[in-house]
Amino acid sequence: MNYRHAYHAGNFADVFKHTLLARILVHLAAKDTPFRYIDTHAGIGLYDLSRDEAKRTNEADAGIRRFLKAPRPQIMEALFQPYIAALKAVNGMEGLHYPGSPMIASCLTRPQDKIALAELHSDDVRALEKRFDHDRRIMVRAMDGWAALKAWTPPPERRGMVLVDPPFESANEFGQMLNGLANAYKKWPTGTFALWYPLKATGEVRRFVGDLVNLGLPKTLRMELVVETQGDSHRLLGSGMIVVNPPWKLKQEADIILPFLARALSDARTGHWKTEWLVGEGKVKKGGDEE
């Protein structure tokens, strides 16, 4: 999966991932004490949807542009408000720019919070440094994301979250994610770890989830959104997020958010969704019905 993100910015997977990221950040900010946001694969932070890379795939048309056009019930406005606020902050409501996870974090964190961004591509590092050079809360480092996960946990604040969002360009990305999580959790058992992954027509995710359950980490929540039901092994059908130590309301919120996204972002109502406690209390919810 060759995933240089400028070609895919604002697609359905971004809407799914960043809506949930925004909810986690809001919950962390509910307490007065400072926290740290760690991004292991940061990208460039902001994407111009009018550039050739984005226009070549037009994936934002079926993602953020479709989301913004979909009527939202009033009851959902509060849940989506932080994400939409980040979109407005970068002119996203006009469909011209899309904020990556570093920009969303910068919009939804407070003066006392800190942000640590790791990125391996030298051009992307320079873009991040230029974009955030005015913000003393934000540290940018040119380093491998897996090395950052090891080096930056636990943070001095002892509160916070890690977003692990690799490009899935190498064959062993799921294995690196599993090992990185296991080692970081040992050092920081109170941290929140959010792991994004692609859903394709392969058995990799099933094996990854099984190995994750065998780690025996507490309070492990799985959330998935699928917008297409058929495709080859290279096509992105949906995406998922594993959250270890999620905010206590996150599953309840996801049970409202994901059915809406499944309807809004899929063609011919083919989309479906799932929330599931891999470890912890609660029932599976899938396609809107408890099982």
Side-chain angles (χ1 to χ4, degrees):
M1 184 175 180
N2 189 356
Y3 204 82
R4 198 65 188 272
H5 201 66
Y7 293 93
H8 310 281
N11 67 1
F12 72 87
D14 269 356
V15 176
F16 163 81
K17 172 176 57 184
H18 292 146
T19 299
L20 296 175
L21 170 62
R23 296 309 311 162
I24 297 171
L25 291 170
V26 165
H27 289 299
L28 285 170
K31 293 184 178 180
D32 293 335
T33 52
F35 69 88
R36 182 165 298 223
Y37 169 78
I38 298 171
D39 200 322
T40 62
H41 299 78
I44 63 175
L46 184 66
Y47 301 89
D48 185 346
L49 299 183
S50 67
R51 291 180 62 90
D52 289 343
E53 297 94 333
K55 291 170 67 176
R56 188 177 300 178
T57 63
N58 289 320
E59 290 186 21
D61 288 351
I64 185 57
R65 292 191 177 106
R66 184 176 287 186
F67 168 81
L68 293 174
K69 292 177 182 178
R72 291 184 298 275
Q74 188 62 36
I75 192 173
M76 292 187 180
E77 287 302 315
L79 293 177
F80 285 112
Q81 188 278 330
Y83 175 55
I84 291 174
L87 294 172
K88 287 182 177 180
V90 298
N91 198 33
M93 292 296 286
E94 299 298 327
L96 299 177
H97 294 84
Y98 186 82
S101 48
M103 185 63 72
I104 290 174
S106 73
C107 291
L108 299 181
T109 47
R110 306 158 300 175
Q112 67 266 40
D113 303 322
K114 301 294 184 182
I115 296 173
L117 307 176
E119 176 52 51
L120 193 58
H121 293 282
S122 57
D123 291 343
D124 293 356
V125 171
R126 286 191 289 269
L128 284 173
E129 290 174 335
K130 182 178 180 180
R131 182 152 290 125
F132 295 117
D133 64 354
H134 64 286
D135 195 333
R136 298 183 65 182
R137 303 173 306 152
I138 301 178
M139 175 182 71
V140 178
R141 292 290 183 270
M143 63 189 301
D144 174 74
W146 308 115
L149 180 60
K150 181 179 180 180
W152 292 350
T153 53
E157 296 80 6
R158 298 288 172 164
R159 289 188 66 232
M161 71 166 292
V162 181
L163 176 65
V164 182
D165 178 21
F168 285 89
E169 293 175 330
S170 67
N172 192 37
E173 213 93 65
F174 279 108
Q176 289 178 302
M177 184 181 285
L178 188 75
N179 293 333
L181 171 64
N183 292 328
Y185 180 84
K186 289 178 183 178
K187 297 189 296 177
W188 192 24
T190 59
T192 295
F193 298 88
L195 290 69
W196 179 88
Y197 56 90
L199 290 171
K200 298 183 290 181
T202 69
E204 286 185 301
V205 171
R206 184 169 57 252
R207 291 190 293 271
F208 168 67
V209 170
D211 291 340
L212 182 64
V213 171
N214 290 335
L215 289 179
L217 305 182
K219 298 179 182 178
T220 303
L221 178 62
R222 175 190 188 182
M223 297 167 287
E224 292 184 348
L225 175 71
V226 175
V227 298
E228 295 187 41
T229 56
Q230 294 182 343
D232 59 36
S233 61
H234 301 289
R235 187 174 180 83
L236 187 66
L237 305 178
S239 67
M241 183 179 284
I242 299 290
V243 183
V244 177
N245 290 332
W248 71 277
K249 286 186 177 180
L250 187 63
K251 184 181 185 300
Q252 177 184 342
E253 293 174 347
D255 287 339
I256 299 172
I257 290 169
L258 297 191
F260 171 80
L261 294 182
R263 293 191 300 271
L265 302 181
S266 61
D267 292 319
R269 296 188 178 274
T270 58
H272 56 90
W273 58 278
K274 175 193 289 186
T275 64
E276 175 185 15
W277 286 105
L278 296 179
V279 183
E281 298 181 359
K283 296 180 179 180
V284 175
K285 291 195 77 175
K286 183 177 181 181
D289 298 318
E290 286 196 348
E291 296 186 332

